[in-house]
Amino acid sequence: MNFGVVGAGQMGAGIAQVAAQSGFDVIVQDVQQAFLDRGKATIEKSLAKLHDKGKLTDTPDAILGRIRFTAELQDFADCDLVVEAIVENEAVKAELFRTLGAIVKTDGILASNTSSIPITALASASGRPDRFIGMHFMNPVPLMALVEVIRGYSTSDETARIVTETAERMGKTPLACNDFPGFVSNRILMPMLNEAIQCVMDGVAEPEAIDGIMKLGMNHPMGPLTLADFIGLDTCLSIMEVLHRGLGDDKYRPSPLLRKMVQAGLLGRKSGRGFYTY
Ligand code: CAA
Ligand code: NAD
């Protein structure tokens, strides 16, 4: 399978890596060479770790050799499946899918890794709504088992079948859900992270104590503030905005502290500072 990935950020790099580990030929595109270089470095580091632990069936070099990095969207023309993993912004994603819809061969499938944005709206922009689907990987992609598969209004049975089988070939467990804001994963997860941020703002406890309480008290692998920093506070804010706009209820209103931190450029781990310093 020719597998395309748009965006070489933390998710795009992870998806490209796991696709290549599964034997697919992969093309990754980003808007600047520096972002491609950073994505490649992320993949190299992850492969080295997995190799040291004996978790790869191929050498890191062989896996990396199946990934081509490019700045040109035209290179996706022959892809069977293109997964988009760019910024969580509906207008930017829709514009990309308008372009991809005209480039990728007509029987190719387009998928979005969006955390929350309506799949049906992106499918319409692509001009091929039957061959469009949500393929939502979890972070960090090389370690997390789930792929949430979200059908848009017009997604065909054949598209859902191919994408489900592809997720399985990538060693993941696909689980289906319908096209509602935030799907299942982020409709449930994100209000908890937002509430933890509100606890910081209200002075309920220090960030370390909030994380410690949720880790030790609920057996979560990461505290909610550590997880928000890990996901990216810009992404968390975008998801909360989609939930608030799409579902209406005040319980989804983004915490003012979250909004302020994003305005201040504190995006979490990827910018070096969020609730913690990295
Ligand atoms: N590739 C390879 N190895 C990696 C890695 C990667 N991408 N990321 C971490 N590792 C390694 C670590 O370096 C560590 O290696 P060592 O044992 O050699 O130190 C090993 O994996 C295990 O990590 P840790 O011991 O530090 O921590 P852990 O056992 O808790 O596992 C974790 C790490 C799986 C990330 C775990 O902390 C976890 O499950 N965290 C929660 C993640 C989560 O909730 N993800 C979902 C986010 S929401 C989302 O994705 C959807 C959305 O739309 C926002
Ligand atoms: P990121 O900020 O790490 O990376 C985004 C990448 O996309 C950057 O390298 C950027 O240069 C690139 N990009 C932006 N606009 C582009 C365009 N028009 N064309 C090509 N590349 C472009 O973000 P991320 O955390 O990897 O998130 C990407 C997507 O995955 C978002 O939709 C997000 O909601 C979703 N997602 C994120 C997580 C997470 O935990 N971070 C988990 C699941 C899904």
Side-chain angles (χ1 to χ4, degrees):
M1 171 182 272
N2 290 326
F3 196 111
V5 180
V6 194
Q10 51 180 342
M11 295 305 293
I15 296 165
Q17 176 189 330
V18 175
Q21 281 174 222
S22 315
F24 301 138
D25 290 317
V26 184
I27 301 176
V28 189
Q29 187 268 357
D30 207 306
V31 287
Q32 279 184 32
Q33 188 58 41
F35 300 145
L36 291 168
D37 293 343
R38 190 186 52 193
K40 189 175 180 193
T42 304
I43 295 172
E44 282 171 338
K45 202 167 145 207
S46 175
L47 286 175
K49 250 196 166 341
L50 296 173
H51 179 68
D52 287 349
K53 292 180 183 169
K55 292 198 170 154
L56 296 179
T57 50
D58 236 337
T59 64
D61 278 351
I63 294 166
L64 209 54
R66 288 196 281 272
I67 307 177
R68 186 152 71 86
F69 296 86
T70 180
E72 300 300 325
L73 284 174
Q74 291 293 342
D75 290 348
F76 289 126
D78 285 331
C79 281
D80 302 293
L81 170 64
V82 178
V83 181
E84 165 276 316
I86 68 170
V87 60
E88 186 72 349
N89 176 301
E90 182 169 340
V92 179
K93 285 189 194 289
E95 179 57 31
L96 172 73
F97 280 119
R98 260 188 288 280
T99 308
L100 280 180
I103 290 174
V104 177
K105 62 182 180 181
T106 47
D107 59 347
I109 293 173
L110 302 181
S112 177
N113 184 54
T114 178
S115 298
S116 59
I117 294 166
I119 296 303
T120 304
L122 298 178
S124 294
S126 77
R128 55 176 83 186
D130 56 324
R131 278 153 292 130
F132 194 99
I133 198 160
M135 192 177 191
H136 186 204
F137 291 84
M138 300 293 127
N139 191 12
V141 182
L143 303 187
M144 302 294 283
L146 176 69
V147 174
E148 204 175 25
V149 176
I150 308 109
R151 291 178 71 146
Y153 187 82
S154 306
T155 305
S156 71
D157 290 347
E158 174 74 350
T159 297
R161 183 187 64 74
I162 291 170
V163 165
T164 300
E165 284 175 10
T166 303
E168 283 166 349
R169 278 189 63 190
M170 293 171 78
K172 304 299 183 193
T173 302
L175 291 173
C177 82
N178 291 319
D179 188 16
F180 282 81
F183 321 124
V184 170
S185 54
N186 282 315
R187 180 168 174 164
I188 297 174
L189 173 69
M190 219 31 85
M192 182 185 71
L193 304 195
N194 193 52
E195 198 62 31
I197 296 168
Q198 198 55 35
C199 285
V200 177
M201 191 174 134
D202 291 348
V204 179
E206 292 299 318
E208 292 80 358
I210 293 169
D211 275 350
I213 286 164
M214 296 305 286
K215 273 182 75 172
L216 301 176
M218 321 299 158
N219 253 357
H220 290 187
M222 285 177 172
L225 301 168
T226 304
L227 184 54
D229 271 0
F230 180 58
I231 291 167
L233 300 186
D234 52 339
T235 302
C236 292
L237 176 60
S238 299
I239 296 168
M240 285 309 298
E241 285 174 337
V242 170
L243 290 174
H244 192 220
R245 209 167 41 241
L247 298 168
D249 200 299
D250 224 40
K251 71 183 175 186
Y252 301 108
R253 184 184 296 282
S255 166
L257 176 59
L258 173 60
R259 198 178 288 288
K260 200 172 287 179
M261 289 176 74
V262 173
Q263 284 166 349
L266 274 61
L267 306 184
R269 198 181 280 249
K270 66 182 164 189
S271 73
R273 202 173 143 207
F275 290 97
Y276 303 97
T277 302
Y278 300 90

